[in-house]
Amino acid sequence: MPHESTTQGAALATGPFTGPEAFAQLIRDAIDAAAREGWREWVWSDPDFADWPLGERVVADAMQKWSSAGRRLTLVAERYDVFERHHARFVHWRRMWGHIVDARVCRGAELPAVPSAIWTPIWALRRLDIERCRGQSGTDAYGRRALREALDECLRSSKEGFPITTLGL
């Protein structure tokens, strides 16, 4: 279980976490903190975001509170196909706030693995073992910098993805 809260982002836990519920709660807490504290920039990354709680009403409400001019959310994934099926509320929010979201696809055998993580300038979460849902969260500058470098590597080789609308013929 996560423990020990930070001074900035008081509700955010630091330390190791284990299990899907602990992981999902950390995501909810981070989104809530972002809305309360007005975070300007953050990056979410995951191979597919399948087990993130992005379809929940509480998450959609917090994302709506967070949204405003000058904010930026970058998404990095190998694929976004799960969103329409499992995260309908997030898809709806994304359509309204697409101008503050940069969704990128990083996929290919020669490309770096997409980490399962949230990066912010003050706090980060990284799932080190996706299968067992184990990882670490915290404010450690070295850990945040290492995560940002891994994300930047994915972003350098990424392309646009997860369009706001899908045009059909």
Side-chain angles (χ1 to χ4, degrees):
M1 282 302 285
H3 60 282
E4 177 187 328
S5 62
T6 64
T7 56
Q8 187 176 14
L12 294 176
T14 64
F17 64 86
T18 301
E21 186 49 43
F23 174 67
Q25 190 59 50
L26 281 167
I27 293 169
R28 289 182 202 102
D29 292 347
I31 293 170
D32 184 59
R36 267 192 339 270
E37 298 173 13
W39 294 357
R40 294 212 168 275
E41 170 189 21
W42 53 346
V43 180
W44 298 358
S45 71
D46 195 82
D48 62 10
F49 294 96
D51 52 358
W52 288 45
L54 302 178
E56 296 177 2
R57 181 177 305 279
V58 67
V59 170
D61 291 346
M63 289 303 296
Q64 188 63 32
K65 289 175 189 167
W66 171 78
S67 308
S68 73
R71 305 285 165 88
R72 194 82 190 139
L73 169 61
T74 302
L75 302 173
V76 183
E78 292 175 6
R79 62 186 182 280
Y80 290 99
D81 57 331
V82 73
F83 276 81
E84 289 289 340
R85 293 187 309 274
H86 298 291
H87 305 316
R89 286 186 179 99
F90 185 85
V91 170
H92 177 71
W93 173 85
R94 164 119 168 77
R95 285 186 182 126
M96 293 185 335
W97 292 96
H99 59 285
I100 65 171
V101 179
D102 182 19
R104 310 297 297 175
V105 173
C106 183
R107 142 177 85 214
E110 72 287 351
L111 299 178
V114 174
S116 180
I118 293 177
W119 176 90
T120 78
I122 60 167
W123 180 85
L125 168 147
R126 186 163 189 180
R127 196 162 42 157
L128 301 168
D129 181 346
I130 293 176
E131 189 174 310
R132 291 175 189 82
C133 210
R134 294 182 187 157
Q136 182 80 22
S137 66
T139 59
D140 172 62
Y142 178 78
R144 287 193 332 271
R145 185 174 54 245
L147 174 58
R148 185 61 202 224
E149 288 171 2
L151 292 168
D152 286 346
E153 186 65 27
C154 287
L155 288 167
R156 272 191 287 281
S157 56
S158 69
K159 60 182 180 182
E160 288 185 41
F162 190 18
I164 294 172
T165 59
T166 304
L167 300 176
L169 297 177

